[in-house]
mmCIF file of all heavy atoms in Angstrom:
data_model
loop_
_atom_site.group_PDB
_atom_site.id
_atom_site.type_symbol
_atom_site.label_atom_id
_atom_site.label_comp_id
_atom_site.label_asym_id
_atom_site.label_seq_id
_atom_site.Cartn_x
_atom_site.Cartn_y
_atom_site.Cartn_z
ATOM 1 N N ALA A 586 -60.033 -7.821 -26.374
ATOM 2 C CA ALA A 586 -60.033 -9.103 -27.093
ATOM 3 C C ALA A 586 -59.248 -8.993 -28.392
ATOM 4 O O ALA A 586 -58.444 -9.863 -28.732
ATOM 5 C CB ALA A 586 -61.470 -9.551 -27.365
ATOM 6 N N LEU A 587 -59.476 -7.928 -29.134
ATOM 7 C CA LEU A 587 -58.764 -7.747 -30.400
ATOM 8 C C LEU A 587 -57.260 -7.596 -30.186
ATOM 9 O O LEU A 587 -56.456 -8.065 -30.997
ATOM 10 C CB LEU A 587 -59.316 -6.532 -31.134
ATOM 11 C CG LEU A 587 -60.626 -6.778 -31.882
ATOM 12 C CD1 LEU A 587 -61.320 -5.472 -32.194
ATOM 13 C CD2 LEU A 587 -60.382 -7.580 -33.152
ATOM 14 N N GLN A 588 -56.883 -6.972 -29.082
ATOM 15 C CA GLN A 588 -55.464 -6.829 -28.796
ATOM 16 C C GLN A 588 -54.809 -8.188 -28.612
ATOM 17 O O GLN A 588 -53.667 -8.409 -29.023
ATOM 18 C CB GLN A 588 -55.272 -5.973 -27.535
ATOM 19 C CG GLN A 588 -53.823 -5.690 -27.177
ATOM 20 C CD GLN A 588 -53.110 -4.875 -28.247
ATOM 21 O OE1 GLN A 588 -53.714 -4.002 -28.860
ATOM 22 N NE2 GLN A 588 -51.849 -5.169 -28.478
ATOM 23 N N ARG A 589 -55.547 -9.129 -28.010
ATOM 24 C CA ARG A 589 -54.974 -10.463 -27.759
ATOM 25 C C ARG A 589 -54.747 -11.231 -29.053
ATOM 26 O O ARG A 589 -53.900 -12.124 -29.105
ATOM 27 C CB ARG A 589 -55.902 -11.258 -26.833
ATOM 28 C CG ARG A 589 -55.905 -10.748 -25.404
ATOM 29 C CD ARG A 589 -56.550 -11.744 -24.471
ATOM 30 N NE ARG A 589 -57.967 -11.923 -24.707
ATOM 31 C CZ ARG A 589 -58.927 -11.149 -24.184
ATOM 32 N NH1 ARG A 589 -58.592 -10.106 -23.431
ATOM 33 N NH2 ARG A 589 -60.198 -11.389 -24.433
ATOM 34 N N CYS A 590 -55.521 -10.950 -30.079
ATOM 35 C CA CYS A 590 -55.350 -11.718 -31.322
ATOM 36 C C CYS A 590 -54.773 -10.870 -32.447
ATOM 37 O O CYS A 590 -54.735 -11.318 -33.593
ATOM 38 C CB CYS A 590 -56.671 -12.345 -31.757
ATOM 39 S SG CYS A 590 -57.926 -11.156 -32.282
ATOM 40 N N SER A 591 -54.312 -9.656 -32.146
ATOM 41 C CA SER A 591 -53.800 -8.782 -33.206
ATOM 42 C C SER A 591 -52.579 -9.374 -33.891
ATOM 43 O O SER A 591 -52.375 -9.210 -35.086
ATOM 44 C CB SER A 591 -53.463 -7.404 -32.638
ATOM 45 O OG SER A 591 -52.472 -7.509 -31.621
ATOM 46 N N GLY A 592 -51.757 -10.098 -33.130
ATOM 47 C CA GLY A 592 -50.595 -10.735 -33.747
ATOM 48 C C GLY A 592 -50.987 -11.763 -34.776
ATOM 49 O O GLY A 592 -50.337 -11.912 -35.814
ATOM 50 N N ALA A 593 -52.095 -12.483 -34.511
ATOM 51 C CA ALA A 593 -52.553 -13.484 -35.474
ATOM 52 C C ALA A 593 -52.995 -12.824 -36.769
ATOM 53 O O ALA A 593 -52.746 -13.332 -37.861
ATOM 54 C CB ALA A 593 -53.702 -14.288 -34.877
ATOM 55 N N GLN A 594 -53.664 -11.671 -36.670
ATOM 56 C CA GLN A 594 -54.082 -10.964 -37.884
ATOM 57 C C GLN A 594 -52.875 -10.547 -38.711
ATOM 58 O O GLN A 594 -52.862 -10.702 -39.930
ATOM 59 C CB GLN A 594 -54.894 -9.720 -37.504
ATOM 60 C CG GLN A 594 -56.284 -10.028 -36.976
ATOM 61 C CD GLN A 594 -57.103 -8.766 -36.825
ATOM 62 O OE1 GLN A 594 -57.003 -7.848 -37.612
ATOM 63 N NE2 GLN A 594 -57.930 -8.723 -35.806
ATOM 64 N N SER A 595 -51.857 -10.031 -38.047
ATOM 65 C CA SER A 595 -50.692 -9.578 -38.796
ATOM 66 C C SER A 595 -49.960 -10.741 -39.443
ATOM 67 O O SER A 595 -49.411 -10.618 -40.531
ATOM 68 C CB SER A 595 -49.758 -8.793 -37.877
ATOM 69 O OG SER A 595 -49.251 -9.621 -36.846
ATOM 70 N N ARG A 596 -49.974 -11.901 -38.780
ATOM 71 C CA ARG A 596 -49.305 -13.059 -39.369
ATOM 72 C C ARG A 596 -50.016 -13.546 -40.623
ATOM 73 O O ARG A 596 -49.420 -14.185 -41.478
ATOM 74 C CB ARG A 596 -49.219 -14.201 -38.336
ATOM 75 C CG ARG A 596 -48.190 -13.960 -37.240
ATOM 76 C CD ARG A 596 -47.942 -15.249 -36.468
ATOM 77 N NE ARG A 596 -49.118 -15.710 -35.743
ATOM 78 C CZ ARG A 596 -49.434 -15.325 -34.509
ATOM 79 N NH1 ARG A 596 -48.686 -14.431 -33.876
ATOM 80 N NH2 ARG A 596 -50.492 -15.799 -33.912
ATOM 81 N N ASN A 597 -51.331 -13.283 -40.712
ATOM 82 C CA ASN A 597 -52.076 -13.711 -41.889
ATOM 83 C C ASN A 597 -51.795 -12.839 -43.106
ATOM 84 O O ASN A 597 -51.977 -13.259 -44.242
ATOM 85 C CB ASN A 597 -53.582 -13.699 -41.586
ATOM 86 C CG ASN A 597 -54.399 -14.192 -42.748
ATOM 87 O OD1 ASN A 597 -54.289 -15.345 -43.126
ATOM 88 N ND2 ASN A 597 -55.218 -13.329 -43.317
ATOM 89 N N GLU A 598 -51.353 -11.610 -42.873
ATOM 90 C CA GLU A 598 -51.114 -10.708 -43.992
ATOM 91 C C GLU A 598 -50.026 -11.265 -44.905
ATOM 92 O O GLU A 598 -48.989 -11.746 -44.459
ATOM 93 C CB GLU A 598 -50.673 -9.335 -43.469
ATOM 94 C CG GLU A 598 -51.758 -8.603 -42.699
ATOM 95 C CD GLU A 598 -53.006 -8.374 -43.531
ATOM 96 O OE1 GLU A 598 -52.848 -8.048 -44.719
ATOM 97 O OE2 GLU A 598 -54.111 -8.525 -43.000
ATOM 98 N N GLY A 599 -50.288 -11.222 -46.167
ATOM 99 C CA GLY A 599 -49.304 -11.670 -47.140
ATOM 100 C C GLY A 599 -49.344 -13.153 -47.441
ATOM 101 O O GLY A 599 -48.588 -13.636 -48.266
ATOM 102 N N ALA A 600 -50.234 -13.905 -46.762
ATOM 103 C CA ALA A 600 -50.312 -15.329 -47.044
ATOM 104 C C ALA A 600 -50.844 -15.555 -48.450
ATOM 105 O O ALA A 600 -51.695 -14.835 -48.935
ATOM 106 C CB ALA A 600 -51.242 -16.012 -46.029
ATOM 107 N N SER A 601 -50.332 -16.555 -49.123
ATOM 108 C CA SER A 601 -50.778 -16.857 -50.477
ATOM 109 C C SER A 601 -52.008 -17.743 -50.425
ATOM 110 O O SER A 601 -52.252 -18.408 -49.422
ATOM 111 C CB SER A 601 -49.663 -17.578 -51.239
ATOM 112 O OG SER A 601 -49.513 -18.900 -50.743
ATOM 113 N N PRO A 602 -52.821 -17.797 -51.493
ATOM 114 C CA PRO A 602 -54.005 -18.653 -51.475
ATOM 115 C C PRO A 602 -53.682 -20.109 -51.189
ATOM 116 O O PRO A 602 -54.502 -20.820 -50.626
ATOM 117 C CB PRO A 602 -54.585 -18.460 -52.886
ATOM 118 C CG PRO A 602 -54.124 -17.111 -53.302
ATOM 119 C CD PRO A 602 -52.748 -16.960 -52.701
ATOM 120 N N LEU A 603 -52.500 -20.568 -51.554
ATOM 121 C CA LEU A 603 -52.154 -21.960 -51.319
ATOM 122 C C LEU A 603 -52.041 -22.275 -49.838
ATOM 123 O O LEU A 603 -52.118 -23.423 -49.433
ATOM 124 C CB LEU A 603 -50.834 -22.301 -52.026
ATOM 125 C CG LEU A 603 -50.862 -22.246 -53.559
ATOM 126 C CD1 LEU A 603 -49.478 -22.536 -54.114
ATOM 127 C CD2 LEU A 603 -51.872 -23.232 -54.116
ATOM 128 N N ASP A 604 -51.873 -21.251 -48.991
ATOM 129 C CA ASP A 604 -51.727 -21.464 -47.561
ATOM 130 C C ASP A 604 -53.051 -21.748 -46.870
ATOM 131 O O ASP A 604 -53.070 -22.084 -45.691
ATOM 132 C CB ASP A 604 -51.077 -20.242 -46.903
ATOM 133 C CG ASP A 604 -49.650 -20.032 -47.360
ATOM 134 O OD1 ASP A 604 -48.969 -21.025 -47.647
ATOM 135 O OD2 ASP A 604 -49.243 -18.872 -47.452
ATOM 136 N N ALA A 605 -54.171 -21.569 -47.551
ATOM 137 C CA ALA A 605 -55.467 -21.633 -46.893
ATOM 138 C C ALA A 605 -55.886 -23.062 -46.553
ATOM 139 O O ALA A 605 -56.641 -23.279 -45.614
ATOM 140 C CB ALA A 605 -56.540 -20.984 -47.770
ATOM 141 N N GLY A 606 -55.437 -24.055 -47.301
ATOM 142 C CA GLY A 606 -55.879 -25.425 -47.100
ATOM 143 C C GLY A 606 -55.174 -26.125 -45.965
ATOM 144 O O GLY A 606 -54.519 -25.520 -45.128
ATOM 145 N N GLU A 607 -55.271 -27.462 -45.937
ATOM 146 C CA GLU A 607 -54.733 -28.218 -44.817
ATOM 147 C C GLU A 607 -53.302 -28.667 -45.075
ATOM 148 O O GLU A 607 -52.901 -28.942 -46.201
ATOM 149 C CB GLU A 607 -55.616 -29.431 -44.517
ATOM 150 C CG GLU A 607 -55.710 -30.447 -45.626
ATOM 151 C CD GLU A 607 -56.635 -31.614 -45.287
ATOM 152 O OE1 GLU A 607 -57.217 -31.625 -44.190
ATOM 153 O OE2 GLU A 607 -56.774 -32.502 -46.132
ATOM 154 N N THR A 608 -52.524 -28.773 -43.995
ATOM 155 C CA THR A 608 -51.167 -29.290 -44.055
ATOM 156 C C THR A 608 -51.197 -30.807 -43.882
ATOM 157 O O THR A 608 -52.228 -31.394 -43.527
ATOM 158 C CB THR A 608 -50.314 -28.676 -42.940
ATOM 159 O OG1 THR A 608 -50.816 -29.138 -41.665
ATOM 160 C CG2 THR A 608 -50.362 -27.150 -42.985
ATOM 161 N N SER A 609 -50.072 -31.454 -44.109
ATOM 162 C CA SER A 609 -50.014 -32.909 -43.941
ATOM 163 C C SER A 609 -50.277 -33.302 -42.492
ATOM 164 O O SER A 609 -50.943 -34.311 -42.230
ATOM 165 C CB SER A 609 -48.651 -33.435 -44.402
ATOM 166 O OG SER A 609 -47.605 -32.858 -43.643
ATOM 167 N N ASN A 610 -49.805 -32.523 -41.528
ATOM 168 C CA ASN A 610 -50.062 -32.838 -40.118
ATOM 169 C C ASN A 610 -51.545 -32.717 -39.784
ATOM 170 O O ASN A 610 -52.087 -33.524 -39.015
ATOM 171 C CB ASN A 610 -49.251 -31.916 -39.207
ATOM 172 C CG ASN A 610 -47.777 -32.271 -39.174
ATOM 173 O OD1 ASN A 610 -47.385 -33.391 -39.526
ATOM 174 N ND2 ASN A 610 -46.953 -31.329 -38.766
ATOM 175 N N GLU A 611 -52.199 -31.725 -40.341
ATOM 176 C CA GLU A 611 -53.633 -31.563 -40.100
ATOM 177 C C GLU A 611 -54.422 -32.694 -40.746
ATOM 178 O O GLU A 611 -55.411 -33.179 -40.179
ATOM 179 C CB GLU A 611 -54.090 -30.198 -40.630
ATOM 180 C CG GLU A 611 -53.527 -29.037 -39.810
ATOM 181 C CD GLU A 611 -53.559 -27.704 -40.526
ATOM 182 O OE1 GLU A 611 -53.876 -27.684 -41.735
ATOM 183 O OE2 GLU A 611 -53.254 -26.677 -39.886
#
């Protein structure tokens, strides 16, 4: 299971706090 979502974890690395909220599309 972790292998299937490991790419998502790596994509989260380095995100700034401003990225945590909602986008205009959301």
Side-chain angles (χ1 to χ4, degrees):
L587 280 162
Q588 183 63 36
R589 289 194 293 275
C590 68
S591 60
Q594 288 189 36
S595 64
R596 287 193 295 272
N597 183 64
E598 293 301 320
S601 72
L603 294 177
D604 294 328
E607 63 182 1
T608 66
S609 60
N610 286 341
E611 291 161 352

